[in-house]
Amino acid sequence: MTLRVLAAMSGGVDSAVAAARAAEAGHDVTGVHLALSKNPQSYRSGARGCCTVEDSRDARRAADVIGIPFYVWDMAEEFDRDVVSDFVAEYAAGRTPNPCLRCNEKIKFAAVLDRAIALGFDAVCTGHHVRKVDGRLRRSVDLGKDQSYVLGVLTREQVAHAMFPLGDCTKVEVRAEAERRGLAVADKPDSHDICFIADGDTAGFLNDRLGGEPGPIKDESGAVLGTHQGAHTFTVGQRKGLNLGGAVERRYVLSIEPVNNTVTVGPRDSLKVDEITAERPVWSGCAPLTEPTACRVQLRAHGEVYGCRAVERDGRLVIELDEPATGVAAGQAAVLYGGEHGDTVLGSGTIAATARRRQDSPV
C-alpha cells in the first residue's frame, strides 16, 4: 500500500537513508527539516546535531539526491517551550530530564505528527534505530545504537503513524548504504551531547538561566562538608565536580533539594534503590498492567536493564526491581520491556521517587 509519508530529515545520515528507503519502497515521500532555533548559531555549529544551518543544507542536498520534495518547518517556538524551557525547569526542581526524549515526545511525534496528519500525510518517517513489529516498538538489531528508550514515551496512536526503516540494520550498514546512494552525509559524524547547549557546558547553560546561588553540600548526618554554586548543576549519582578534598572514600550525590538549595552526598551503597514510582504512565505495547507483572526496565538512555515487577496503581507506575540499581534520577524515564524476546516496549513513566525496600539486597 502506498502511503503519503513525511520524512523528518535532521541533516544526518540516519534520517537521509530512512527517507531514501521509504521512497524506494514506493511511498509518496516529502522531506522536512525542523528549524528549532530562531538563531541557529546559538546552537551547535558543524555536524553535531539537528539545530544548525549546516544541517538544514545537508538535509536539502540529501532530499535532492533522493528526488523528493523538501521543506523547512519553523518549530523554534514549540522547541523552546516544550524542550529547552522544560529542561531548565526540571533541573530547577531538582530533577534530571532527558531532552532528546522530550523532543521526540513533544516535537517529532506530537507537533510534527499533528501537522502532518492535518496536511493529509499517513505517517512520519524518522531515522531512529528501532523496529516496529505488529504495531509495537522493538529494540534495533544494532543494540549499540538502539533508540527504543527515547521513544518509550510515545503513545499507541503515535506509534501507529510512525515509520522506522532502519531498525533491521546496523549503523555500519547505514553508512555503507548512504555511500552507495551517493548521499554526502555518509561519513557525517553522529550528534552528541545536548544540541541546544552550544559549548557543551550544561552547568554554565543552567547558571545563565537560573543564576548561581551558593549552598551547602552535606553528608547523610547533616554535617556540612563544603559548598556549591547552584544545586541545579548536580544530578543523582554524580561523583565528579563535588570539590570535596580529603575524603577517605568516594562520595556521590544522593539527593538534591532545590527548596533549601542543599546537595546531600554519601557512599555508593547509599545510592541503591529497588522501588521506583513513575508518573504519567504511557502504554504503547500492551494494556495497562493492573496486576504486578514480571518484565524488564531501563532507567536511563544506554543504561543497564533490570528485571522487575511492574503495576499501575492510582495513575502511577510502581516498579519493584529484582536487584538494586544505583544513580536512579527523578525526571528520567523508566521504560518497560517484555514480549517473547524481552525487547518489546510495553510502556513508560517519568521517574518521580525511589526507595529501598530490602536493605540487605546485594548489587
Side-chain angles (χ1 to χ4, degrees):
M1 179 175 65
T2 300
L3 302 176
R4 287 196 68 205
V5 175
L6 184 73
M9 303 182 70
S10 67
V13 62
D14 291 325
S15 60
V17 172
R21 285 190 174 189
E24 190 173 67
H27 299 302
D28 179 7
V29 180
T30 297
V32 63
H33 179 78
L34 308 180
L36 302 180
S37 173
K38 291 293 186 183
N39 176 18
Q41 298 306 320
S42 69
Y43 288 2
R44 288 202 180 280
S45 61
R48 296 288 296 180
C50 51
C51 307
T52 69
V53 172
E54 295 98 321
D55 293 316
S56 177
R57 291 169 181 164
D58 287 343
R60 183 179 295 278
R61 283 192 288 266
D64 287 343
V65 171
I66 298 167
I68 59 175
F70 178 83
Y71 299 92
V72 175
W73 284 2
D74 182 359
M75 305 294 290
E77 182 178 344
E78 293 90 340
F79 185 77
D80 183 72
R81 179 189 66 233
D82 295 330
V83 180
V84 181
S85 295
D86 175 80
F87 178 84
V88 174
E90 286 290 281
Y91 267 104
R95 296 185 287 268
T96 304
N98 184 317
C100 293
L101 185 149
R102 197 64 61 223
C103 183
N104 286 326
E105 176 190 13
K106 298 292 187 179
I107 304 299
K108 295 175 183 175
F109 292 97
V112 171
L113 181 57
D114 287 349
R115 186 183 296 186
I117 296 300
L119 290 172
F121 288 94
D122 301 301
V124 168
C125 170
T126 74
H128 287 97
H129 283 260
V130 66
R131 287 178 288 171
K132 179 179 167 183
V133 181
D134 296 329
R136 302 197 296 174
L137 298 180
R138 290 184 61 186
R139 291 192 186 276
S140 168
V141 299
D142 188 343
L143 294 181
K145 292 296 182 180
D146 173 62
Q147 293 175 292
S148 61
Y149 174 85
V150 294
L151 297 174
V153 294
L154 301 187
T155 66
R156 190 186 302 268
E157 182 178 2
Q158 288 169 334
V159 172
H161 289 284
M163 182 180 293
F164 305 107
L166 303 187
D168 62 350
C169 61
T170 67
K171 187 60 177 272
V172 172
E173 291 170 334
V174 170
R175 290 195 181 280
E177 182 175 334
E179 186 172 0
R180 290 196 304 271
R181 292 181 180 275
L183 297 170
V185 292
D187 296 322
K188 186 174 181 177
D190 290 340
S191 59
H192 297 284
D193 303 320
I194 300 170
C195 70
F196 55 82
I197 299 181
D199 57 4
D201 181 8
T202 301
F205 176 87
L206 292 169
N207 280 332
D208 286 345
R209 285 153 180 77
L210 297 173
E213 181 181 351
I217 299 178
K218 298 182 178 181
D219 64 17
E220 293 175 276
S221 72
V224 176
L225 306 179
T227 59
H228 61 76
Q229 297 303 310
H232 53 265
T233 63
F234 294 87
T235 186
V236 170
Q238 180 177 333
R239 178 175 66 84
K240 296 181 180 180
L242 300 181
N243 297 320
L244 300 175
V248 176
E249 61 180 2
R250 291 178 175 176
R251 295 189 176 97
Y252 300 79
V253 174
L254 303 180
S255 65
I256 303 155
E257 301 174 33
V259 174
N260 55 23
N261 199 28
T262 298
V263 175
T264 300
V265 299
R268 188 174 187 275
D269 189 67
S270 295
L271 282 171
K272 296 176 184 176
V273 300
D274 53 21
E275 182 173 283
I276 297 164
T277 301
E279 301 173 324
R280 302 188 298 277
V282 175
W283 302 100
S284 65
C286 69
L289 301 180
T290 57
E291 296 292 336
T293 303
C295 52
R296 298 174 67 77
V297 64
Q298 186 171 333
L299 303 171
R300 67 180 69 173
H302 310 298
E304 187 175 349
V305 178
Y306 297 86
C308 68
R309 292 179 66 81
V311 63
E312 182 177 335
R313 294 182 184 141
D314 301 322
R316 287 192 161 199
L317 182 59
V318 179
I319 303 167
E320 294 185 355
L321 303 179
D322 293 345
E323 58 182 76
T326 59
V328 181
Q332 294 283 293
V335 178
L336 299 176
Y337 292 83
E340 181 181 358
H341 302 287
D343 63 355
T344 298
V345 174
L346 304 180
S348 72
T350 302
I351 298 171
T354 61
R356 181 81 179 274
R357 294 176 294 119
R358 304 186 304 274
Q359 295 300 315
D360 58 347
S361 299
V363 169

